Structure formats: C-alpha cells, structure tokens
Amino acid sequence: MRRVFVFALLLSFVLSFVSAASMPSHSKIRISSTKWFDIIYPVESENSARELFDKADSIYEKICASYGKEPDFRMPVVITPDTDAYNAYFSNGHYNHIVLFDAVSDESMAVFSEPLLGTFTHELTHAVSINMRNPFWKVIDSVFGDIFNPGSAFIMTTLFKEGAAVSMESSGGEGRLNDPFYLHMSRQAKLSGKFPSAQDVTGARDKFPSASASYGFGGPFAAFIQQKYGMEKYAEFWYRAINAKSLTYETAFKRIYDVSLGTAWKEFKDSVYVPDIPKNPLEEKFVTDFFNPKSDSFSRQNLLGSRFYGLSSSDVSVSYIDGGAVWLCSAQDGMFGVPKKLFSRDGILSARLSSDGEFLAVSYEDDNSSGTKYKSALYEIKSGRWHEIKQAGLRDACVYYAEGKIYVTAVYAFSQSASLVTFAFDGKSFLRASEVSFASGESVFSPCFIEGNVYAVCRSGLEWTIRCFGDLRNSNGVKNETYSFLPDARLRWLSAGILGGKPVLLFSYAEPDTFPRLGWLDPSSKEMFLMNTDVSGGVYWPVAAAGSVVYSSYFYDNRKLLCLDTTSLDNAGGVLKLTAARSAVNESSDAFSESHGGSLEGTFSSKKYRKPYWHRGTLLTGPVVPGYQLIPYVADDVKNDSLINTVPFVWGLTWMTSNPWDSDTLTLSAGTSFDAKAWGFSAGFSGSTSTSLFSYNEMPAVVVDKDGFVQASNNLSLSSGVNLGGKADLLFSLENKAFFGKNTWGFGGLILDYIEDDNLYFYDKNKVSAKISTIRKMGPGTFELGGIALSVAYKTVVMGTAGGRHQYNVFNEGDDMVLQQYLYPEVSVNIPRLLPFSCRDSFTYNLPVAFNVQMCSYIGKFLSFEAESVIFAYEIQRGIPFVPLYFNRFLLTADYCGSLGNSGTDYTLWNFVKVFSDLSGDRMGYRDFLSLKLILEPSFNTGLFANPSSHVSVYCSVGLPLKNFDPGNFKLSFGVGSLF
C-alpha cells in the first residue's frame, strides 16, 4: 500500500511539471521590444506585431499626455490568433499586461480604420488610468506587485473604467462614440423614459443588457465631463480615486468637480440627443407588431424581454434567433404563422434561409479547442440533419441556388485578414469553389445572393459600401462593383428579398445624429431608397417577408419584433430616393489582395521567446503551507474531505506570476509557524485554456522542523469539458490529495503539537467524476433554465500508519489502515416553468423549479432530495446613491428537502448490499422539511464588486419540519446563500 501511495505522489509531481510547461498551440513564439513594450506573438501574427511595433510607443505617450503624466512603466503585450472571437483585455493580475486577440471584428465593433491599433488604444487607456499612482503606492507596487491597487479594486467601477477607455479610443474621430449604432442605447433609453442613474450602470446589473450598459453609458458620460470640465479635471478625478483619497467614487467626483455625481449625470442626460418622435413605435402608421399586427399595443411575445436578432427570410418564411434557439414562421399572402422552434444550439451567430426555405446556413461558436472558433453548417429544415463545413474560421454564412446546385458563401477570417469563401454542396460534402481575399484591416459582412450575384457589406478604413462580387461559383466569375452613398453613414446586416414585387437588398444604416434606419438597394436599377425619419427602437436586422419589412427593434432592456410597411412610409414622405454611386474596380479577384497602408518596414526585429513565466509577479503574506490532521472516523460528508482537516499551519510569503497570456500560473511559498518550531515550502502550478477544454491545478508542499521531516503533501486537480453539438456539455475531472507525515494538531500556526504522537501517517484520496448536462437558458427570464444533468463520482480513500505504532495513534487498536470506496451519482433537473405561460419582463410568477437527487453522498443517507421553486420574483436592478449598494432582485421561494436512510449506516460501495436489507427490513426512515424563503439579492456597488456575478442572497426562512424532524414546529432562520 505504501508503494501505491508513493506512486500516486510521484505521478502528481510529474503531471504538475508537464502541465506547467504547457504553451499555446503555436510552437514558434517571438518577442519584439520597443521603448515601453515587449510584444509577444506567434509567427502567424507577425504582420500584426509589426503594425503594433510602429505605433505602440507613440500611442502610449499620447495617452499619458492626455492624463498629464509621463510614461513610467513597461509591460508585455500579447497578440494571439488562438480565437476567432474579436476581443482584448488589460489585466494587472500579477503584473500589468495586455492581451490582444488577433481576429477580425464583427459589425458592432468595426469602428476603427486600423482595428488592432484602435483596440490597443482602448486597453492601454485602462493601464494608464488605473496606474495614476502617487509615490506611496508606487513603492507598494514595486514591492508587492501591480495588483495592489486599492482604487481599482475597491472604488472605480466598470462605468468609469470603460468610460475612460471608450472616450480615449474615440478622441481622434473613430471609435464607438462616433458610431451611431453604439450611441443608440443611451439615446433610446432617454426616449423611452428609462434613462438609468449612474449607480444603475456601474457594472453590477445582471439582467440584459447587463455589463454592456457600463459601456453604453460610460463612454458618452466620460466624453461629456471631459468636454465640459476639461481633461485636467478628469485626470485629477482618476488620481484621487486610484490613490484612495476618497472612500467612494461619488465622494471623489464631488471633491474634484464640486458638483455631485447625480447633478453631473442629469446634465449628461439632458445633453443626449433624441429625435422628436413617439417613444412607442406602434404609434407610427407604418409600424405594426409582428405577432399581432392588428393591435395598437405590444403583443405578449414582445413584452417578455426577448433578444431577437439574426433575422432571415425566404419566399415562404421568416426566421429569427431568440433564447439560444432558431424560430421559423410561415410568411405568405401578407400573413405570418405561429413561430415554431427549429432547434437550440449554444453560441448561434447567424442563421440564413435559402430562397425556398428548405435550408438554413448557420454560423456558430465552437469551444472545443483552446480558443473559441467560428464554424458554419447547413441545416435541413424538414429532416433536421446537419452538414458541417470542416474549415474553421467561417462566419456570416449564406446558402443559395445557382443553376440547380446548392452553394454556401461565408466570411473566412484569420488574424486581421478576411475573405469570401464559396463552397459547392453535393448533398453530403462541401467542395471549395472560389475565394476572394481582402487587404489586411478591411472587413466584409453579411454576404447574400440575389439575381445571380453575391453582394456584401464592406468596410475599408471608415468607408462603408455595398459591393457586388458577381458569380462566385468559380474564380472566373468574380467582379467588384461598389455602391456607395451617404459618406458618414454606417451600414449593417445586408439581406436579399422581394419588396414591392422587385428583388432588393435590405440593410440597416445610421448617420451621426440618427437612429438606425431602413435602406434598400434595387440592383437592377441601381436605385437606393433610404428611410429619412427615425422610429423608436431603430431598425435592426431588416428582412423582406410577406410584403413588408420585418425587423428587430432595440430598446434599453429588451428587443421587440416589428413590421414596417414601406408603402405607408413612402406615402408619409419617409423615403429618400437616390442613385447609388457605382464604381467598377476590377473584373478579377486580384483587386482585393492589394496591401492597405503600404509596407510595414523599419527597425522591427524579434527573437525567440523563451520564458515559461514572466519575471514580475505578486508578493503576498499570510498562510502559505497547509497542515493536515487525520480524522479517520468522522466522514459524514462523502463528497468532501471530511476524513482529513486542513489548518493554516505555516505563515509566510507567497510569490505568484504567470505567463503573459494567462494560461499558466506559478506560485512559490515559504514560511514558518508562529512559534518558529516548523518551516514550510510549497509550489503551485495552475492554468487553463480560455475555453473549458482543459484546466489543471497542482500544489506540492513540505514541512520540516529542527528534527527533520514533518509532512509532505500534494494536491492535484484536472478537468476537461467539451460541448456536444451545441446542446450538451460533457465534463470530466480528476482529483488527488496525498499526504505523508505526522499529524499536526496546531491551529493557525500558533501551536505546533505533534510531539506525543510521533507516528507517521499516510492519506491518499483519488476521485474521478463525469458529468453531462443539457441545462440551458430557455428564455429571457432570470430563472428560465431547462434541462437535465447527470453526474457520477468514484472516490477512494486509503489511509493508515506508516512505521511503528506509538501510544497516541489516531487509529483504533489493530486498525493500522483504512480503505474506503464511494460511488455516488447525482441527478439535477431544471424546468423553466410549471405554469403554462411566460412572464412579463422583470417578473417571475410561472413557478420555475430545480430538482436535485443524490445517492450515497452522506453517511446514513441512501437518497437525498431537494426541490426549489421561485414563487415570485421582481427584478429591481437599481443602485442607490451615497451608499455603494446595488439591488438585483427580490424573490420568494419554496424549498422542499427530504432524505431516505438509516443514521450511522455506511452506504458505500462495500456496503451497498446493506441498502436492500434495510429497505426490505423497513429500517430506513424518511425525513423531510419544507421552507419558505424571502430573499433580497444585493451586491456592493463599488470597485471590482460591481459586477454581474458578485451578488449574494440574503434571506429570511420560515421552516416547517415534517416527518421525523420535530414535525409541526416552525423554525425561523436568517442567512446568506445562493439560488439554483
């Protein structure tokens, strides 16, 4: 048995070093250094690295000048193409660093002429603003690490952090503040009478639009106060808050600006432009409700808080995406049928119908790799069969017929480059037919097919156009005709359809001072028709169906599905007709591959990157090495480690660092007990992919004293999760805890008492578990979860005495070793509603319920059962001034708990036969308990605490014991917990 223990311990150590050495999927990683940055990248991203190398220092110096400070720190910047999802982040975890995802943005973020540099400016502004430190905190930073930043951690919220970054990225005429689609959130909120307070959008909101509200209001507010009070005052505000010279962001604001945040926020609200239009779009004669066109009020479906997007249409139907599912309605003779759910899938990006309504081209996110990948597939509507295109990196796919054959055209993106790729589908597989490439930094969106040609929305610099690429069935048919119109307009979501009996291309467009509007292009006449009036909610994802235009209308906290009658709009003078400016660039695909912006040459040089971890890190003090106490006969909780107790045995210093792309973390610790009788050392290796594909955590430790060895221990955990067809998740995990040495009866490191018990003990726990879950969000409601989760865990525990037995042995006489094995399954079921109706937005009253059944998870309990239901809930989603508190929701729940078993009986794997004897002998008892809980879910509305996942459930519970639980006597309790 000792050999087994030693083998497990050695295996854990080996696995730790293998894991710690893991790197991204690129074998050739390079580093290029400027005056202020170390740019780290794989060779696949060298062009992006060159682009950043040329401008990084000057961008840094410009931002610092805006904040009235000199550049004073270096940091690494990582460029990685491991994900297709465009994003980036700054982090001061362990040390300041930036990670840029080298990918092409979607339409909502196509707001820069040079996307990589614009995104870098945004993230670098975070670094500059939260490092506005005074000399005292700079000293603390130099000793303990960049993460010691009280103003960033406890005072400044996402509203101010993202406000600073968005306003800086937009200061040169680009960025989100110059995009009317981005500004629509604040404008629509004012028009609808739902303009939030500053405390409402700090980042704590956990209901749609959740943290996006911090971006939508933070950027415009930051620009407003900068323009009104000047950039110098704004920098002073950041300096005061970051150095914790005020306790809250409100008091810091008042001290610097001499006006309250509430007063400044009201002035900001008054400055937000809104057109003079009805706040209810149904008051317009040309707008109707999609689900109930004859009513002057919104239909029930439009009052649920849905997020309608991804609209598409065919000759006979219209589809949309909501609640992680694609819905289909018939659309003929001016009428729409009842929506039918086609399928659910995680991460749906778009779903585009073929002209006959037989196929859907679906683009979606796939997380079964180290980074998120975009993929596309064909879905047969009648049969429900899927045909996946093997190539990754495909988005915005569309499907169409040409000469009786089926083709799919999609946008392929890698690094900063995009192309249009066309595949021929023979019913079983896809064959690449052609590819049209674009210059680096150019973007293409929403390809669609009409009248024998493929069209798409294109962005070059900040110019938005519609382009005709001709017949893409082979490279010989490629052409490039460009249709441009209003110079300051931004375009989105091109679709093909029949309007007024003519084939047209529909799109959404917006100018600087307009809401998103409808436009359409007649390819045959080259005439363009533009809606020249605004409508509340704007026009998003417009498609032509059943003689009208169906579109999604975006409001502050929900979206609605509406219809627009272009004939009525035209009769009211709401359509501007013009001839689109047309230019034919070239009749070959070579025109698209020219370099944009010239050669990237200069002093750029690089070398191989060799560091497994960065040289800077974080220094902490506290308990650093655990001590262990064996408790071999107290094991009521099978799922947890109740046979061994962990105490903070050794106190000292811990140094933590990671690699600059945050996939692997190193922890080194050393210290002593307070009575200086023992010294301990430990190392930690942990990391994960950016998806759930793989994660690991390993911590070996050793404790010694003046006489030599005391303890050695090791903790290892591995997990891997994969997604099954976008409908289920499969998770595997492995845990090992190994201990060898003397029992430590010390507490908190203050007392070290193992002298009288000089035995050497060993403990080895191994746990393997698997879980499959289909539990998903089934609708817009907070508690609308549905699905089932099945899990099973197998756990073994071996422990005993190693060497001679002494007087004070923790085991009974003759029990020098204990072997236990446990097998415990668990089932969880979520039902989104027991009552057969949906709830209005912000309310829950249809009884969503969660069930949980566990077997053999506690000694003396064969079965444990719990059911929890929400009887009523109301979404508060409000912050309060002066006191940094945010209230997410109020709810009333009912909870039923029951268990079947025989107290003291060990229903382990060895004693499973005991279950049948106890059942047949009527020796099992059933105990149950019913309770009602009144719950308030608040969160601290300050610093990093103001985020969607930080709230707690504070409850008052009234319990009614039922069978074998002192029945009939009510019990009142208070506490803090979690729900579902």
Side-chain angles (χ1 to χ4, degrees), residues 108-169:
S108 65
M109 280 301 298
V111 295
F112 304 110
S113 59
E114 297 174 296
L116 186 78
L117 298 181
T119 304
F120 175 71
T121 300
H122 179 103
E123 302 305 332
L124 186 55
T125 303
H126 286 312
V128 172
S129 59
I130 77 165
N131 281 285
M132 297 279 289
R133 303 169 186 257
N134 60 24
F136 171 78
W137 287 109
K138 285 183 179 180
V139 172
I140 297 297
D141 171 287
S142 64
V143 176
F144 295 101
D146 296 326
I147 198 171
F148 281 89
N149 190 316
S152 176
F154 303 112
I155 297 176
M156 295 300 268
T157 67
T158 305
L159 173 71
F160 298 103
K161 293 175 182 178
E162 296 304 337
V166 170
S167 61
M168 180 59 69
E169 78 179 35

Side-chain angles (χ1 to χ4, degrees), residues 32-33 50-51 53-55 598-606:
S32 180
S33 298
R50 287 176 175 270
E51 182 181 2
F53 179 90
D54 288 343
K55 299 289 181 64
S599 174
L600 291 170
E601 297 181 353
T603 58
F604 179 85
S605 62
S606 66

Side-chain angles (χ1 to χ4, degrees), residues 185-195 269-274:
M185 177 184 286
S186 58
R187 292 171 174 176
Q188 182 63 52
K190 181 178 178 180
L191 176 63
S192 299
K194 289 189 174 183
F195 204 89
K269 175 185 175 181
D270 293 339
S271 73
V272 174
Y273 164 80
V274 294

Side-chain angles (χ1 to χ4, degrees), residues 45-83:
S45 292
E46 182 166 322
N47 287 338
S48 297
R50 287 176 175 270
E51 182 181 2
L52 184 61
F53 179 90
D54 288 343
K55 299 289 181 64
D57 288 341
S58 61
I59 293 173
Y60 182 33
E61 291 162 0
K62 175 185 175 183
I63 296 173
C64 287
S66 297
Y67 281 81
K69 61 172 291 185
E70 294 292 328
D72 56 0
F73 60 86
R74 287 182 56 83
M75 66 175 172
V77 179
V78 174
I79 303 175
T80 172
D82 274 357
T83 175

Side-chain angles (χ1 to χ4, degrees), residues 629-638 640-645 743 745 757 761-763 797-801 805 808-820 822 859-860 904-906:
Q629 301 172 352
L630 285 183
I631 313 173
Y633 301 107
V634 182
D636 289 341
D637 187 353
V638 172
N640 297 311
D641 294 326
S642 56
L643 292 170
I644 190 169
N645 189 31
N743 242 7
W745 297 102
D757 182 5
Y761 300 99
F762 66 88
Y763 174 93
V797 176
V798 182
M799 58 184 175
T801 305
R805 167 182 287 274
Y808 294 97
N809 194 296
V810 299
F811 294 94
N812 289 335
E813 189 70 29
D815 289 337
D816 285 344
M817 187 178 72
V818 175
L819 172 63
Q820 295 181 335
Y822 303 94
I859 301 297
T905 301
D906 185 4

